[in-house]
Amino acid sequence: MADSECDDVPQLSAHALAALQEFYAEREEAVQCAGDAVEEDWQLSQFWYDEHTAIVLAEEAIRGSDGGRFVCVCVCFSFCWCVMHRIACLSCPTLFSKLAQLKPSGCHTTLLEFDRRFEAIGTDFVFYDYRNPLCLPASIERHSFDLVVADPPFLSEECLWNTAVTIKFLTKAKVLLCTGAVLEELVAQTLDAHKCSFAPRHVRNLANEFCCYANYKTGLDCYKSEHT
């Protein structure tokens, strides 16, 4: 964007900026509390990330979602423009909860999840069933997220195929995926994503080897693989 164009963008006053930051802080505190209160449901194939994994993935999601877009927001009955980064958390509620703690103002996250217990977080929750990959509300527009982070609930080809359909609908380009090592070839085939050296871990250790995959250059390859 040229300097002349940037000069035309209205700037937030100090009072409006403080009010906006307070609003975001209160909302994210409510989101975090709602997410932390939900226990794993193994019947839904839910396995929460451990603290280290949640932090690493959240930091990468924030870094990877750069780009954003200018949006108009209303603060104290006045309108102004700010850069908004949008991250979709697809079937990964523990990451969504950690992002609520770490993300900067101007970074918006949406949780697409089958478990309706997470409706408690409010409007940032969207019901999602991988068996109907494009059954989404009209408010979720095609290619409207700067980054999609997904963790398909089942280690099956059908689940990955359908989740990939949703990912391609949601993302502008970038994808970060956590799933089993057994699906590495299918991940490359469906999403053109490569395995990163960082290996996600869960609160309850799982028998299956899990990996992170991305279709862009991440900061996750600085981690030494624990599977080599």
Side-chain angles (χ1 to χ4, degrees):
M1 183 178 292
D3 292 342
S4 59
E5 292 177 333
C6 291
D7 293 339
D8 293 335
V9 177
Q11 301 296 313
L12 285 173
S13 67
H15 175 70
L17 180 59
L20 183 61
Q21 291 174 335
E22 181 179 3
F23 167 76
Y24 279 127
E26 291 176 352
R27 188 177 72 172
E28 301 314 332
E29 182 179 0
V31 167
Q32 181 185 340
C33 290
D36 291 344
V38 178
E39 296 290 333
E40 291 174 333
D41 185 339
W42 288 12
Q43 292 184 337
L44 296 179
S45 190
Q46 291 178 336
F47 303 98
W48 298 160
Y49 300 135
D50 67 14
E51 182 70 6
H52 175 66
T53 295
I55 291 173
V56 170
L57 293 180
E59 290 177 345
E60 174 56 36
I62 293 168
R63 189 196 70 83
S65 66
D66 61 355
R69 59 175 178 170
F70 279 97
V71 295
C72 187
V73 297
C74 180
V75 181
C76 299
F77 304 102
S78 63
F79 291 91
C80 55
W81 290 86
C82 64
V83 176
M84 179 69 72
H85 307 277
R86 301 193 70 201
I87 301 172
C89 296
L90 191 59
S91 304
C92 45
T94 43
L95 174 60
F96 177 84
S97 180
K98 183 56 63 177
L99 279 167
Q101 300 176 34
L102 301 181
K103 69 183 184 182
S105 60
C107 182
H108 181 263
T109 52
T110 299
L111 175 64
L112 296 92
E113 169 62 41
F114 183 81
D115 189 347
R116 290 191 180 274
R117 291 180 297 170
F118 288 98
E119 285 181 322
I121 67 178
T123 57
D124 292 334
F125 172 87
V126 173
F127 176 75
Y128 171 72
D129 185 343
Y130 79 89
R131 294 168 295 185
N132 298 290
L134 294 180
C135 185
L136 301 169
S139 59
I140 303 295
E141 300 177 352
R142 181 185 296 271
H143 302 162
S144 57
F145 290 90
D146 301 291
L147 174 71
V148 174
V149 187
D151 191 334
F154 299 102
L155 294 180
S156 70
E157 292 189 359
E158 178 203 12
C159 185
L160 180 56
W161 273 108
N162 288 0
T163 300
V165 170
T166 310
I167 291 172
K168 291 176 181 179
F169 177 85
L170 295 173
T171 188
K172 296 177 181 177
K174 294 181 178 180
V175 177
L176 185 61
L177 180 80
C178 293
T179 192
V182 296
L183 294 172
E184 181 175 356
E185 290 186 7
L186 189 58
V187 170
Q189 179 182 348
T190 56
L191 295 168
D192 193 26
H194 67 275
K195 184 168 70 173
C196 305
S197 61
F198 176 75
R201 290 187 171 274
H202 301 80
V203 174
R204 306 178 192 277
N205 291 327
L206 305 182
N208 296 304
E209 180 184 339
F210 271 74
C211 302
C212 284
Y213 305 88
N215 68 345
Y216 67 98
K217 184 175 178 58
T218 73
L220 298 178
D221 285 327
C222 65
Y223 294 87
K224 181 179 180 181
S225 174
E226 298 181 9
H227 299 307
T228 59

